[in-house]
């Protein structure tokens, strides 16, 4: 009630909303005022907010960040999505993705025993194969099952190996973190996933603060669940984004890099990393190792959403309907040869968007770029020795 009556209708939330900017029916301001008017009318009948308004949200938190009075349309949207899911009002591909997570532990619906297929040809121990590990790499569903995203995981483990890090992965024991299930409104499924993952992590000695073992993940959405959601259910862990951990390895001299390439690189800040975790500098440090950083106009906490968050990854939007279309245009306008990302969802959306423009611009995760820089250093050293 306080939130609804606090809104001054300044319009900041609408101007920041990526859904509103791409003509989706969601207006955070209108949603708030419509609910306020309904509350004041004392009329509990009829529909106030259309379903499509709620499903348009990418949960990017832009509206929350810019509101000078702390109103959160996002929390209202998530709560109302829970009602729709409970009433069976979600259908199509997003509902199918949730069903696959329920059955198989991942939105691709693939078996758990396939979770390690991405490590073919690499030495990547599981927690059972290396019970004395010091660092757990949370791979996530996308890197386990999506062929393009698997390259991120392969780059990360090669960097960890070269730095001499004692690490392991959960393999078949890992399940979806549940982040997108919670943001989509399937709270029951999220809590089921969280309970299972917490039990697994605790069984392997990762519970903080007693454990010295840490977790890294390249997925800001998994990071968000592990850090912000899981403590609500007793899961407390020390978790870092891979950009933070890899930047520290470079700073400590555990990863030696070659001479910086002359290419121009622009970096896209993921919403769940820049806004939710305020991690903006470490990814840029890694990008600047690989080339010359060319910033987009909207950056850091003022970044623009790729369009995949809040479960929108699983909606069948056409190229001209995607929330992240303007972000792709902004990236290409920098004239950069490479678009760097640090989120598997951003990788997918930016890659698709850039490909639709037929520009020849590469889209790569920062771990892939760092691996190239480390490999270049090794090749240079070997050449000098010969």
């Amino acid at each position: 009630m306080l939130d609804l009556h606090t809104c001054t209708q300044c319009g900041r939330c609408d101007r920041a909303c990526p859904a509103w900017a791409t003509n989706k029916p969601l207006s955070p301001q209108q949603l708030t005022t419509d609910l306020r008017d309904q509350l004041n009318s004392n009329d509990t009948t009829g529909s106030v907010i259309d379903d499509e308004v709620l499903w348009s949200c990418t949960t990017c938190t832009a509206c929350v960040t810019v509101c000078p009075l702390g109103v959160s349309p996002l929390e209202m949207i998530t709560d109302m999505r829970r009602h729709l899911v409970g009433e069976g009002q979600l259908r199509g591909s997003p509902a199918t993705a949730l069903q696959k997570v329920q059955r198989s532990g991942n939105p691709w619906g693939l078996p758990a025993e396939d979770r390690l297929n991405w490590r073919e040809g690499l030495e990547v121990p599981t927690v059972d194969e290396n019970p004395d590990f010091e660092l757990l790499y949370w791979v996530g569903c996308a890197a386990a099952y999506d062929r393009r995203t698997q390259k991120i995981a392969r780059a990360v483990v090669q960097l960890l190996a070269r730095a001499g890090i004692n690490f392991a992965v959960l393999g078949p024991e890992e399940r979806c973190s549940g982040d997108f299930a919670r943001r989509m409104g399937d709270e029951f499924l999220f809590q089921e996933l969280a309970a299972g993952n917490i039990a697994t992590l605790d069984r392997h000695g990762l519970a903080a603060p007693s454990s010295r073992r840490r977790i890294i993940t390249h997925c800001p959405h998994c990071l968000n669940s592990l850090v912000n959601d899981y403590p609500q259910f007793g899961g407390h862990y020390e978790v870092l984004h891979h950009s933070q951990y890899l930047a520290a390895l470079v700073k400590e001299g555990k990863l030696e890099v070659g001479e910086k390439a002359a290419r121009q690189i622009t970096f896209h800040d993921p919403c769940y990393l820049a806004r939710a975790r305020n991690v903006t500098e470490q990814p840029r440090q890694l990008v600047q190792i690989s080339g010359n950083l060319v910033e987009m106009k909207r950056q850091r906490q003022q970044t623009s959403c790729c369009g995949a968050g809040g479960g929108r990854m699983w909606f069948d939007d056409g190229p001209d309907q995607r929330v992240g279309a303007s972000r792709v245009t902004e990236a290409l306008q920098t004239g950069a040869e490479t678009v760097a990302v640090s989120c598997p969802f951003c990788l997918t959306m930016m890659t698709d968007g850039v490909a639709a423009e037929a520009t020849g611009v590469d889209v790569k995760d920062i771990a892939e770029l760092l691996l190239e820089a480390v490999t270049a250093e090794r090749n240079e050293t070997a050449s000098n020795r010969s």
Side-chain angles (χ1 to χ4, degrees):
M1 292 174 62
L2 182 60
D3 271 2
L4 295 177
H5 286 89
T6 298
C7 177
T8 61
Q9 298 177 246
C10 68
R12 287 183 175 90
C13 55
D14 279 358
R15 290 192 292 272
C17 178
W20 179 251
T22 49
N23 299 316
K24 298 287 186 185
L26 170 62
S27 161
Q29 175 184 294
Q30 192 66 48
L31 178 139
T32 304
T33 55
D34 283 350
L35 290 174
R36 180 198 63 198
D37 293 345
Q38 178 73 6
L39 178 67
N40 293 339
S41 72
N42 293 319
D43 182 4
T44 60
T45 62
S47 175
V48 182
I49 308 298
D50 288 341
D51 295 2
E52 279 306 304
V53 170
L54 302 179
W55 297 129
S56 296
C57 180
T58 66
T59 68
C60 71
T61 73
C63 59
V64 183
T65 302
V66 300
C67 181
L69 299 172
V71 178
S72 178
L74 175 58
E75 291 185 13
M76 306 175 202
I77 289 171
T78 303
D79 284 344
M80 287 185 280
R81 281 181 168 185
R82 289 173 183 165
H83 171 74
L84 292 179
V85 170
E87 293 293 315
Q89 296 301 310
L90 179 63
R91 299 181 178 85
S93 55
T96 300
L98 289 172
Q99 292 167 0
K100 288 179 178 179
V101 172
Q102 176 73 53
R103 292 195 307 265
S104 306
N106 66 86
W108 278 264
L110 297 172
E113 52 266 29
D114 289 352
R115 271 194 177 268
L116 283 174
N117 288 355
W118 62 271
R119 71 171 180 174
E120 183 178 358
L122 299 174
E123 292 185 10
V124 182
T126 65
V127 288
D128 291 330
E129 294 165 345
N130 180 24
D132 297 323
F133 69 94
E134 297 175 359
L135 180 75
L136 179 76
Y137 176 30
W138 181 278
V139 177
C141 299
Y145 296 109
D146 178 72
R147 289 188 177 183
R148 172 62 186 92
T149 313
Q150 286 175 351
K151 294 180 180 179
I152 301 178
R154 292 180 65 85
V156 170
V157 297
Q158 288 178 79
L159 290 166
L160 294 178
R162 291 186 183 187
I165 305 301
N166 180 13
F167 74 96
V169 299
L170 288 173
E173 292 188 66
E174 184 182 299
R175 301 186 75 204
C176 177
S177 68
D179 175 87
F180 99 89
R182 182 171 237 198
R183 270 76 217 171
M184 283 295 291
D186 197 335
E187 182 67 13
F188 180 84
L189 175 57
F190 163 73
Q191 292 195 23
E192 182 181 44
L193 292 166
N197 285 326
I198 289 171
T200 298
L201 293 171
D202 289 354
R203 186 171 67 252
H204 291 293
L206 285 145
S210 58
S211 176
R212 293 185 178 180
R213 294 175 168 177
R214 294 190 288 177
I215 303 172
I216 67 164
T217 178
H218 61 261
C219 179
H221 297 266
C222 292
L223 178 69
N224 181 65
S225 275
L226 293 168
V227 174
N228 294 331
D229 293 336
Y230 281 25
Q232 299 171 21
F233 305 94
H236 299 274
Y237 312 102
E238 184 180 353
V239 193
L240 297 172
H241 187 249
H242 74 324
S243 64
Q244 297 172 290
Y245 193 79
L246 294 175
L249 292 180
V250 173
K251 184 177 181 180
E252 294 165 5
K254 294 181 179 179
L255 286 173
E256 297 183 6
V257 296
E259 185 176 346
K260 179 165 58 175
R263 61 180 165 180
Q264 305 292 306
I265 305 175
T266 191
F267 176 66
H268 164 70
D269 289 279
C271 299
Y272 272 64
L273 191 63
R275 289 200 188 96
R277 299 299 303 161
N278 195 27
V279 176
T280 59
E281 298 313 310
Q282 293 94 331
R284 284 172 169 78
Q285 292 169 14
L286 297 179
V287 168
Q288 291 177 52
I289 290 172
S290 305
N292 300 311
L293 177 62
V294 183
E295 292 281 14
M296 286 184 259
K297 182 178 179 180
R298 294 176 290 182
Q299 57 179 266
R300 295 177 170 83
Q301 284 81 9
Q302 284 73 48
T303 186
S304 179
C305 184
C306 76
R312 291 298 310 182
M313 175 78 174
W314 310 106
F315 281 74
D316 295 326
D317 289 343
D320 58 338
Q321 299 174 311
R322 292 178 181 173
V323 169
S326 65
R327 188 56 164 174
V328 172
T329 300
E330 189 175 353
L332 295 177
Q333 286 174 345
T334 65
E337 303 164 51
T338 301
V339 178
V341 297
S342 53
C343 168
F345 288 176
C346 295
L347 177 68
T348 298
M349 302 304 282
M350 297 298 284
T351 298
D352 289 350
V354 167
E357 299 294 330
T359 61
V361 173
D362 292 328
V363 181
K364 293 186 178 182
D365 184 82
I366 52 175
E368 295 178 276
L369 293 175
L370 180 59
L371 181 61
E372 290 175 4
V374 171
T375 302
E377 186 277 334
R378 282 201 166 190
N379 292 340
E380 182 180 345
T381 300
S383 177
N384 291 337
R385 286 176 180 173
S386 61

